[in-house]
Amino acid sequence: AVLTHVDGRPVDPVTGPYPLLAGSGGTTVELTFSPGEGAGPPRRVAVVPLIDDRPLRYQDWVAKRRAVTREMSDGRCGYLHIPDLGGSGWAQFNRDLRMEMSRSALIVDVRGNAGGNISELVIEKLTRTILGWDLTRDAQPVSYASNAPRGPLVALADEATSSDGDMITAAFKLLKLGPVVGQRTWGGVVGMTGRHRLGDGTVITVPMNAAWFDAYGWSVENHGVSPDVESLRTPMDWAEGRHVEMDDAIELALDLLAAKGAASPPGYENVPDRSRPKLPPRHT
């Protein structure tokens, strides 16, 4: 099909439909499609264009890194990116959780994490342990506990991993969930509550709470959390399409997988016989 009109206005074959869609975000727009080569009448569809394409670009970014993970690990590693530790980050984490947890190893990417206050919820998921399996007729086995890591975990962090992103990186290390690869995190765990607007329009914030760890004391603030394996994607790596830090994280995950293995459901060769026993001989 070929897009021929936007709200009844013909699409210029050189400039395309974009000038006709300017300023239409959040409103209803009618698109007219021609099936091409005179195969039938035109078709009209009502759509609501996006105001902001950043969510689409973000999902494309995640999909590309997941594809890199799949390719480099031969499908053995799952990949989760957590953009923040608020509502949107929790939704993104759970959106992909089941599929990615089903892989033998898992890369947990918190690079660029904008912080929030739900890192405990994510950590609770990552610390689940597989104790057994639920096997259902004509269905795939499901681990018990469900949505628990099957094998090794590796975290990815960078200098833009901030606030509650610092916290989740610290917890990842302190709980020994797995190694952290990348750069030292941002180092800002002193939080504030609310914003105060002054008469001239200035907005100020007041520090309200700080974070202290048994192992780190107060040192995460202004320092961050250092990785176990330092890895940096340089501008030249970026320009030439190399994912150095992902290479290191995936290689480390595969090494751990080879050494420790992953939880797997049982086979059916030793299933007990639960059929009804034979009746005793009938007495006459």
Side-chain angles (χ1 to χ4, degrees):
V2 179
L3 177 60
T4 59
H5 294 77
V6 175
D7 277 340
R9 295 174 292 172
V11 175
D12 187 296
V14 176
T15 60
Y18 302 105
L20 303 177
L21 293 169
S24 63
T27 66
T28 302
V29 175
E30 182 187 78
L31 305 179
T32 303
F33 293 91
S34 170
E37 300 180 0
R43 183 167 60 97
R44 296 197 297 269
V45 180
V47 301
V48 179
L50 294 173
I51 296 174
D52 187 354
D53 67 351
R54 283 178 295 180
L56 292 180
R57 294 182 182 275
Y58 169 70
Q59 293 300 335
D60 179 65
W61 185 90
V62 172
K64 287 177 178 176
R65 277 139 190 83
R66 181 164 292 139
V68 168
T69 303
R70 293 283 196 273
E71 179 182 359
M72 294 183 58
S73 68
D74 197 23
R76 288 175 288 174
C77 286
Y79 174 85
L80 288 172
H81 182 263
I82 310 173
D84 59 68
L85 290 161
S88 59
W90 181 241
Q92 175 66 25
F93 175 72
N94 284 280
R95 162 185 174 142
D96 300 322
L97 183 65
R98 177 171 296 182
M99 179 63 72
E100 301 312 303
M101 284 284 199
S102 68
R103 308 283 167 168
S104 298
L106 181 66
I107 307 298
V108 181
D109 191 349
V110 290
R111 290 176 299 171
N113 188 284
N117 55 12
I118 56 106
S119 59
E120 294 177 50
L121 299 179
V122 176
I123 289 295
E124 285 177 1
K125 292 276 191 179
L126 297 178
T127 52
R128 286 185 173 184
T129 301
I130 294 179
L131 304 175
W133 296 85
D134 288 329
L135 291 89
T136 303
R137 189 189 305 273
D138 300 324
Q140 291 184 341
V142 176
S143 66
Y144 179 88
S146 62
N147 296 331
R150 289 184 55 200
L153 301 175
V154 176
L156 269 171
D158 66 5
E159 67 280 0
T161 302
S162 60
S163 190
D164 212 25
D166 290 299
M167 300 280 283
I168 197 172
T169 309
F172 204 93
K173 291 190 63 171
L174 295 177
L175 291 170
K176 297 182 174 17
L177 296 180
V180 176
V181 175
Q183 294 291 295
R184 179 160 55 92
T185 61
W186 186 59
V189 291
V190 170
M192 52 83 179
T193 302
R195 290 172 170 81
H196 308 279
R197 186 176 297 276
L198 304 183
D200 62 356
T202 302
V203 175
I204 63 171
T205 62
V206 178
M208 294 292 291
N209 56 279
W212 182 90
F213 291 93
D214 281 337
Y216 297 128
W218 304 102
S219 67
V220 174
E221 180 68 25
N222 286 334
H223 177 81
V225 179
S226 298
D228 298 296
V229 177
E230 189 166 319
S231 183
L232 176 65
R233 191 186 192 195
T234 66
M236 186 61 71
D237 292 327
W238 183 88
E240 296 180 356
R242 292 190 295 271
H243 297 269
V244 176
E245 73 287 52
M246 292 195 66
D247 292 355
D248 292 340
I250 294 166
E251 181 180 355
L252 186 53
L254 293 178
D255 289 343
L256 291 171
L257 182 60
K260 299 181 179 180
S264 298
Y268 288 92
E269 59 275 3
N270 294 318
V271 173
D273 184 358
R274 302 297 187 190
S275 60
R276 186 175 61 184
K278 291 182 179 181
L279 293 173
R282 179 178 295 180
H283 298 287
T284 58

